[in-house]
Amino acid sequence: MGLLIRNARFVVTVDSARRVLEKASIYVEDGRIVEVGFFEELKYAKKDDVIIDASNSIVTPGFIQTHVHLVQTAFRGLADDLSLLDWLKLRIWPLEASISKEGVYYAALLSLLELLKGGTTSIINFGSVRYEDEIFKAMYKSGIRGASGKILMDLDEEAPRELIEDTERALSESESLLKKWHGKDGRLFYMVTPRFVLSCSEECLKAAVEQAREYGVRIQTHASENREEVRLVKERTGLWNVEYLHKIGMTGNNVILVHCIWLTDDEMRLLAETGTHVTHCPSANLKLASGIAKVPELLKLGVNVTLGADGAPCNNNLDVFVEMRHAALIQKARLLDPTVMSASTVLEMATVNGAKALGLEKEVGSIEVGKKADITLISLNHPRIRPFTKYHDPLSTIVYAAQSSDVEYTIINGEIIVEKGKVLTVDEEDTVKKMDKIVEKLIEKLNMDLVERRKEKIITQSG
Ligand SMILES: [Zn+2]
């Protein structure tokens, strides 16, 4: 059985020539792209082929977000208007320390529903200290492609004790999860994920680097997101954050550093020289008032910069369209120059650059013959996208006008995961209901002051 995506208004391939094909088709067989462009359908047609009419759609490579926190979706709307370190200490860490095993699973499913419906086909998830296995189970069920890892934290006086683990025990759990999930179905991968320098001893960070090297997997950590964080790292180590990470071996082609806002010029060059990947999370950086990363400057130096929504409580969505729009707009305003971030650069960040960070650039990230069929179809139906004539640029439509609700189909490994806006692999109604119940209990258990605030503001009928 094959899949024919027929007569697309445009196919934005993001291939090496950056070809955009008008009125083109794609044929997929056994999960891979067999042909792209203008071909005789009869050449491939089989009786049981699935056919999608794409005449009113823009077809793009599936979007890739290289930094999300699936667990934190349970905390959406519970941690607004705080700066990074307070956001962590007052809300996120207590919540992460208390959420149940079932809560982790449903938070992951809820996030995956949002991501898939919004056309994201691959992720790097910054996992959980507790119940990481549940996240992999949810990712497996959903059909998404991507990596996740157990969060390593062995040091922090201000984090709840449930999150601070014995270094050796944490690393050994990380290793057994790696052995269980890395390479599962060729779709799921393990990634070593120490939280950030302030939450980890040097022993833990060095062991994390060693674990990633030993098994040939990637490593991700948060770095230089916040000025106070950078100051504390300098106080503890005598070095700037990225300089310190470099000293202990955490730079290079298998390393993805998230945020990288507060960097010295030397650190920026260091990232380029070592081939370290950087994930930019514009919405989270704006909402936590962390600052604006120097993305055009990093790209100019040759750094591979990718995109991610980060966690729902600091965004508050996991929407790649919002991230693309913000990534473009904030640089234009920062540099007072509308040309510094084009739609095409931003689209590369959300596709091919993301694939490179995952180490999957030969498999996904663009629509090319031989690659895995991870494909997103964006409908041209909504008035917000029109007019759309032969003179319009589909890249502009994707980055500046489209929204996640315009995604009609999300295809991963040649399988239709989202069909006409509906996720086929996860029960949306059940997940939403269960999540509400779990989170209500969690808030009551923690007796957070937001319960008090809510009482003040919302008057219910019962009085
Ligand atoms: Zn994060």
Side-chain angles (χ1 to χ4, degrees):
M1 187 180 86
L3 168 68
L4 174 67
I5 301 168
R6 177 192 275 163
N7 196 26
R9 184 66 189 273
F10 282 106
V11 176
V12 178
T13 64
V14 201
D15 65 7
S16 52
R18 300 293 185 257
R19 291 180 308 149
V20 175
L21 312 172
E22 192 173 3
K23 298 207 168 82
S25 299
I26 300 170
Y27 193 76
V28 174
E29 207 166 30
D30 298 327
R32 290 199 186 262
I33 298 166
V34 174
E35 188 145 15
V36 184
F38 316 97
F39 53 90
E40 187 55 57
E41 278 177 22
L42 286 173
K43 186 173 160 195
Y44 297 104
K46 287 185 212 63
K47 242 200 278 173
D48 56 354
D49 275 354
V50 175
I51 298 174
I52 298 174
D53 169 25
S55 56
N56 199 35
S57 309
I58 298 174
V59 179
T60 69
F63 296 107
I64 300 175
Q65 295 201 52
T66 56
H67 185 67
V68 291
H69 293 250
L70 301 186
V71 172
Q72 288 184 9
T73 300
F75 320 141
R76 183 181 351 243
L78 301 185
D80 294 331
D81 308 333
L82 294 164
S83 70
L84 176 70
L85 299 182
D86 281 344
W87 180 86
L88 283 169
K89 286 180 222 162
L90 301 176
R91 297 290 165 78
I92 300 307
W93 285 343
L95 286 160
E96 281 187 4
S98 302
I99 190 167
S100 64
K101 186 173 166 184
E102 193 194 17
V104 169
Y105 180 70
Y106 281 98
L109 279 189
L110 181 65
S111 319
L112 291 160
L113 280 163
E114 184 183 359
L115 289 160
L116 293 165
K117 284 175 86 126
T120 293
T121 54
S122 291
I123 54 170
I124 293 178
N125 176 51
F126 210 84
S128 180
V129 174
R130 301 156 64 246
Y131 312 127
E132 173 63 29
D133 204 41
E134 299 302 305
I135 297 178
F136 273 110
K137 282 183 200 161
M139 286 173 69
Y140 184 68
K141 179 180 168 62
S142 75
I144 202 151
R145 188 187 301 286
S148 183
K150 171 193 166 61
I151 296 184
L152 302 172
M153 291 172 78
D154 71 335
L155 183 87
D156 205 315
E157 294 109 52
E158 295 182 88
R161 63 185 163 73
E162 293 89 336
L163 296 182
I164 304 304
E165 297 186 309
D166 171 68
T167 315
E168 223 167 278
R169 212 194 69 73
L171 283 152
S172 108
E173 196 191 331
S174 178
E175 189 176 22
S176 38
L177 284 159
L178 187 158
K179 286 180 179 162
K180 181 172 175 188
W181 290 105
H182 187 65
K184 178 93 176 165
D185 270 11
R187 187 162 62 75
L188 299 183
F189 305 93
Y190 193 80
M191 181 161 306
V192 184
T193 50
R195 187 147 216 154
F196 67 156
V197 170
L198 297 179
S199 288
C200 298
S201 66
E202 186 161 304
E203 181 199 354
C204 175
L205 293 168
K206 283 184 172 167
V209 170
E210 182 49 33
Q211 189 168 82
R213 196 201 54 77
E214 187 185 342
Y215 290 96
V217 303
R218 287 170 129 68
I219 187 163
Q220 182 174 81
T221 195
H222 299 97
S224 308
E225 175 175 6
N226 174 284
R227 267 201 296 190
E228 180 63 4
E229 168 210 350
V230 169
R231 191 189 68 75
L232 289 168
V233 172
K234 184 96 198 251
E235 200 176 272
R236 195 171 105 188
T237 67
L239 294 170
W240 296 115
N241 202 349
V242 172
E243 278 178 359
Y244 173 68
L245 290 171
H246 181 63
K247 187 190 126 192
I248 61 161
M250 211 183 288
T251 46
N253 189 249
N254 70 329
V255 180
I256 301 116
L257 299 181
V258 183
H259 301 305
C260 292
I261 298 171
W262 298 98
L263 304 178
T264 63
D265 290 349
D266 285 342
E267 285 178 295
M268 288 171 70
R269 276 192 292 273
L270 199 56
L271 292 173
E273 282 161 18
T274 55
T276 308
H277 310 272
V278 168
T279 298
H280 177 45
C281 305
S283 300
N285 298 160
L286 291 170
K287 184 155 184 271
L288 293 169
S290 298
I292 299 178
K294 295 180 176 172
V295 174
E297 292 91 328
L298 285 167
L299 287 168
K300 206 168 171 191
L301 285 168
V303 178
N304 183 48
V305 185
T306 64
L307 275 185
D310 208 350
C314 64
N315 188 308
N316 292 357
N317 302 116
L318 305 176
D319 184 334
V320 77
F321 292 88
V322 172
E323 296 318 305
M324 288 195 287
R325 184 178 167 81
H326 278 158
L329 266 49
I330 62 177
Q331 299 301 334
K332 295 171 195 286
R334 179 175 72 88
L335 296 165
L336 301 178
D337 179 355
T339 67
V340 288
M341 284 286 274
S342 66
S344 133
T345 302
V346 172
L347 186 63
E348 285 168 6
M349 288 166 68
T351 54
V352 279
N353 293 13
K356 257 183 235 160
L358 269 159
L360 295 177
E361 65 271 28
K362 292 204 174 87
E363 296 283 48
V364 294
S366 60
I367 297 178
E368 286 177 81
V369 171
K371 278 200 171 180
K372 294 255 170 81
D374 286 11
I375 295 170
T376 295
L377 270 73
I378 300 164
S379 163
L380 292 166
N381 274 334
H382 201 281
R384 76 173 139 266
I385 285 173
R386 310 309 285 243
F388 190 84
T389 69
K390 62 182 177 184
Y391 302 109
H392 284 77
D393 175 4
L395 275 74
S396 156
T397 304
I398 297 167
V399 172
Y400 298 124
Q403 296 185 2
S404 57
S405 53
D406 296 316
V407 170
E408 302 177 276
Y409 284 89
T410 304
I411 295 159
I412 301 172
N413 251 349
E415 305 258 336
I416 297 176
I417 305 289
V418 175
E419 183 178 34
K420 297 185 179 149
K422 186 179 167 4
V423 178
L424 304 180
T425 50
V426 181
D427 183 336
E428 181 170 340
E429 204 185 312
D430 177 63
T431 305
V432 167
K433 268 192 205 153
K434 288 219 170 85
M435 187 83 275
D436 276 2
K437 271 194 195 142
I438 290 165
V439 172
E440 203 167 282
K441 267 196 207 150
L442 180 63
I443 294 168
E444 285 160 6
K445 180 175 149 193
L446 281 171
N447 198 21
M448 288 194 137
D449 70 343
L450 52 98
V451 176
E452 286 309 309
R453 285 197 306 163
R454 184 167 176 265
K455 273 185 195 153
E456 279 171 22
K457 282 183 190 163
I458 299 178
I459 301 160
T460 57
Q461 204 177 9
S462 61

